[in-house]
Amino acid sequence: DLELALHFKMKRFFLSLIILIFFSVNSYSQITYIDINFILNTSEVGKSLNKYIKDTSNKYLIDYNEIENNLIKKEKELVAQQNIIEKNEFKIKLSNLSKEINKYRSDKKQLQESIKKIKLDNTKKILKILNPIITEYVDTNSISLVIPKKNIIVGKKNLDITNDIIQLLNKQIKTLNFKWKMFFLKRTKI
């Protein structure tokens, strides 16, 4: 048992020595950090995507607000007629109004999901363009490790490469083609 204990102590010693040597050799490694969300929001292509999403949302929001106001108006008219028209006719009109409301909600939800998908798909496109830029920057500047800023508690500002990457991205691309199919948006006015 003494021989076995000595054997494990020797293994630990050599392992510790190897780790110490490894870290002392690599102590000159450059570690930086990057804020990807900041890049996606402040680069030219990121701004153009955000503007496109906002403009598209606002455009359809106006249409959906008009439809919603028409549905509210129809509901008020139906409630006003409740005691005037027959029960069966009232039930039929109420059923039709419910269908229109459900269609409105479904279409609006589908639009919101489509807009989220557009943002996600185009963000992926931007990240595909961004990845080689970061890789080239890392190689050119002999950087060993790039850490996402969200995982950093405290760091020196000179280790932040975000602005350099934004400048490189802006030189390479200003905007993307954000076209998408609106197959479900047959703007039928209710």
Side-chain angles (χ1 to χ4, degrees), residues 165-178:
I165 300 299
I166 289 173
Q167 289 175 353
L168 294 171
L169 180 62
N170 287 343
K171 285 179 186 175
Q172 185 165 340
I173 189 165
K174 300 281 184 202
T175 187
L176 287 175
N177 184 4
F178 302 122

Side-chain angles (χ1 to χ4, degrees), residues 14-166:
F14 282 117
L15 183 61
S16 300
L17 185 62
I18 289 170
I19 290 173
L20 182 64
I21 290 170
F22 176 75
F23 281 115
S24 66
V25 167
N26 285 325
S27 65
Y28 298 107
S29 299
Q30 187 174 3
I31 298 173
T32 60
Y33 61 93
I34 189 169
D35 189 345
I36 298 294
N37 288 330
F38 186 75
I39 292 171
L40 292 173
N41 289 322
T42 58
S43 64
E44 294 297 322
V45 69
K47 285 179 185 177
S48 69
L49 173 61
N50 290 334
K51 183 181 181 324
Y52 178 77
I53 295 295
K54 183 180 177 184
D55 291 349
T56 303
S57 295
N58 288 341
K59 176 181 166 185
Y60 289 105
L61 185 62
I62 291 168
D63 290 347
Y64 279 103
N65 284 340
E66 184 181 328
I67 293 169
E68 185 174 346
N69 289 335
N70 286 338
L71 289 172
I72 290 170
K73 183 180 172 185
K74 281 185 175 184
E75 180 186 27
K76 286 179 181 178
E77 289 173 0
L78 186 60
V79 169
Q81 294 175 354
Q82 184 175 5
N83 294 329
I84 301 171
I85 61 176
E86 292 184 28
K87 256 187 178 176
N88 287 338
E89 187 179 346
F90 177 77
K91 284 182 182 180
I92 292 170
K93 286 185 176 186
L94 183 62
S95 174
N96 290 339
L97 182 62
S98 285
K99 288 176 186 175
E100 288 179 34
I101 291 171
N102 288 337
K103 183 182 181 333
Y104 160 79
R105 287 180 180 157
S106 172
D107 288 350
K108 190 172 180 180
K109 183 179 178 184
Q110 196 171 13
L111 171 70
Q112 291 167 341
E113 289 171 1
S114 292
I115 289 174
K116 283 181 189 176
K117 184 174 178 2
I118 294 165
K119 181 157 180 134
L120 182 65
D121 291 347
N122 286 294
T123 298
K124 286 179 183 178
K125 285 181 188 178
I126 295 170
L127 291 174
K128 281 183 180 179
I129 295 167
L130 189 60
N131 194 30
I133 293 171
I134 295 171
T135 303
E136 183 180 333
Y137 183 87
V138 164
D139 291 341
T140 304
N141 294 292
S142 302
I143 296 172
S144 302
L145 183 65
V146 178
I147 301 172
K149 187 175 182 177
K150 65 182 180 183
N151 295 336
I152 303 293
I153 296 172
V154 177
K156 290 184 179 179
K157 184 68 177 158
N158 65 337
L159 297 177
D160 187 356
I161 62 170
T162 304
N163 290 327
D164 296 339
I165 300 299
I166 289 173

Side-chain angles (χ1 to χ4, degrees), residues 52 56 59-60 111 180-187:
Y52 178 77
T56 303
K59 176 181 166 185
Y60 289 105
L111 171 70
W180 54 291
K181 294 180 182 176
M182 296 177 279
F183 60 89
F184 63 91
L185 291 176
K186 296 175 186 164
R187 295 189 196 173

